[in-house]
Amino acid sequence: MRILQISSSRTYGGGERHFVDLCRGLSNAGHDVYAAVRPTNVWEAKLDFLPPDRRFHISIRNSIGILSASRLAAFARENEIDIIHAHVARDYIPASIACALTRGRTKFVLTRHVMFPLKAFNRLALKNLSKAIAVSSGVETTLYSVFPKHKVVLINNGIDAHTLNGEEQARARQEFRDLHGIPLDVPLIGTIGELIPLKGQSDLVLAAHEVVKQFPEARFAIIGRDNTIDQRYRRELKRMVKVFALEDRFLWLD
């Protein structure tokens, strides 16, 4: 099949990791994969396994992107695309319109990566949807409020946990702990994700305050970026760690 994946996200997070892994997996399975991404994105290098002519720049600034939809439709016709698969909410309507402009030749699929409910008007605006993919059971429930059940499918999100063999894992673990001065026998608890309240890094800080009462040697790692201009949430997390007198227990990595 010939599949065009779309993401207008500028920064790289879990949804974009999913996007890259999906493109790679479909390519490895023998499909012809194309990617439409934002011109100002900071993560396109992660798609370097796709030839340059399989990557397409498009600016989708809002959900009513008629011009963007026309460009997507032209690209779909020119490359005989079978499926347009959108991953960001503002991309859904332009992708839907683009598929309609191909007069039914190209099917429209979306993946919903977050639990925020979609607005009710999407029930009509995305009427030509073939499938809405939920990455968790919680997301699946929110999609049922907008789309018919037969159009919703649950495909649990995940990552490839076997990119390193046992020996490579042990070496990487040793190198990481040596670099940051964390003995191998010390419990290390971490969270990985963009620094936003939705990801719950504050819950880890609150939990750490309780954990050290029973495991005083425990260490914690918060891995991820605060992509906002003022980095208010990152500052708030560090303030909480300071209040709990846990500054020497926390490792902060972008």
Side-chain angles (χ1 to χ4, degrees):
M1 297 185 74
R2 302 170 75 84
I3 305 165
L4 174 61
Q5 304 283 348
I6 305 175
S7 173
S8 62
S9 176
R10 189 185 72 84
T11 58
Y12 186 71
E16 292 67 51
R17 171 64 189 265
H18 175 115
F19 184 99
V20 172
D21 285 349
L22 182 58
C23 287
R24 181 182 288 108
L26 289 169
S27 295
N28 291 342
H31 298 288
D32 293 331
V33 177
Y34 299 77
V37 295
R38 187 174 181 160
T40 56
N41 78 84
V42 300
W43 53 278
E44 187 175 343
K46 298 182 184 296
L47 292 167
D48 60 2
F49 55 87
L50 294 179
D53 62 346
R54 297 278 182 92
R55 285 178 259 154
F56 174 53
H57 285 163
I58 189 164
S59 296
I60 300 177
R61 294 184 175 85
N62 56 61
S63 61
I64 314 298
I66 302 300
L67 180 60
S68 299
S70 298
R71 289 192 64 207
L72 285 170
F75 184 89
R77 287 192 294 266
E78 181 181 344
N79 292 278
E80 299 182 337
I81 299 297
D82 297 302
I83 294 172
I84 292 180
H85 186 169
H87 291 260
V88 177
R90 66 174 162 266
D91 303 340
Y92 295 165
I93 291 178
S96 172
I97 294 172
C99 289
L101 290 174
T102 68
R103 299 183 178 179
R105 191 218 178 282
T106 303
K107 302 299 182 183
F108 170 46
V109 172
L110 68 82
T111 288
R112 187 68 171 160
H113 293 271
V114 295
M115 290 181 63
F116 301 123
L118 284 169
K119 291 185 170 65
F121 73 81
N122 284 290
R123 187 178 294 113
L124 291 175
L126 306 179
K127 205 167 184 180
N128 63 335
L129 178 74
S130 292
K131 289 293 179 183
I133 299 171
V135 299
S136 70
S137 57
V139 175
E140 180 185 25
T141 300
T142 67
L143 290 178
Y144 286 148
S145 66
V146 180
F147 304 120
K149 282 196 172 184
H150 71 274
K151 288 191 175 185
V152 178
V153 59
L154 171 63
I155 303 177
N156 286 302
N157 206 352
I159 60 172
D160 184 357
H162 303 289
T163 54
L164 301 178
N165 61 38
E167 184 178 320
E168 290 169 331
Q169 287 181 2
R171 184 168 61 251
R173 182 182 301 112
Q174 182 73 61
E175 289 175 354
F176 181 86
R177 285 177 174 260
D178 287 348
L179 178 63
H180 298 291
I182 306 172
L184 277 173
D185 59 347
V186 168
L188 175 61
I189 302 98
T191 178
I192 302 175
E194 183 178 4
L195 299 189
I196 54 175
L198 176 67
K199 300 296 185 180
Q201 287 92 356
S202 59
D203 293 333
L204 176 67
V205 177
L206 293 170
H209 181 53
E210 299 301 319
V211 169
V212 295
K213 296 175 183 177
Q214 187 172 351
F215 303 97
E217 74 282 10
R219 299 281 292 274
F220 306 87
I222 291 182
I223 303 163
R225 292 179 183 270
D226 183 336
N227 289 307
T228 61
I229 294 174
D230 61 9
Q231 300 202 338
R232 181 182 301 175
Y233 186 55
R234 182 185 177 92
R235 294 203 312 273
E236 173 61 17
L237 291 171
K238 288 203 165 189
R239 186 195 66 80
M240 291 174 63
V241 169
K242 185 175 183 179
V243 167
F244 291 143
L246 296 174
E247 293 161 288
D248 61 335
R249 309 293 183 82
F250 269 80
L251 175 65
W252 302 84
L253 298 172
D254 286 342

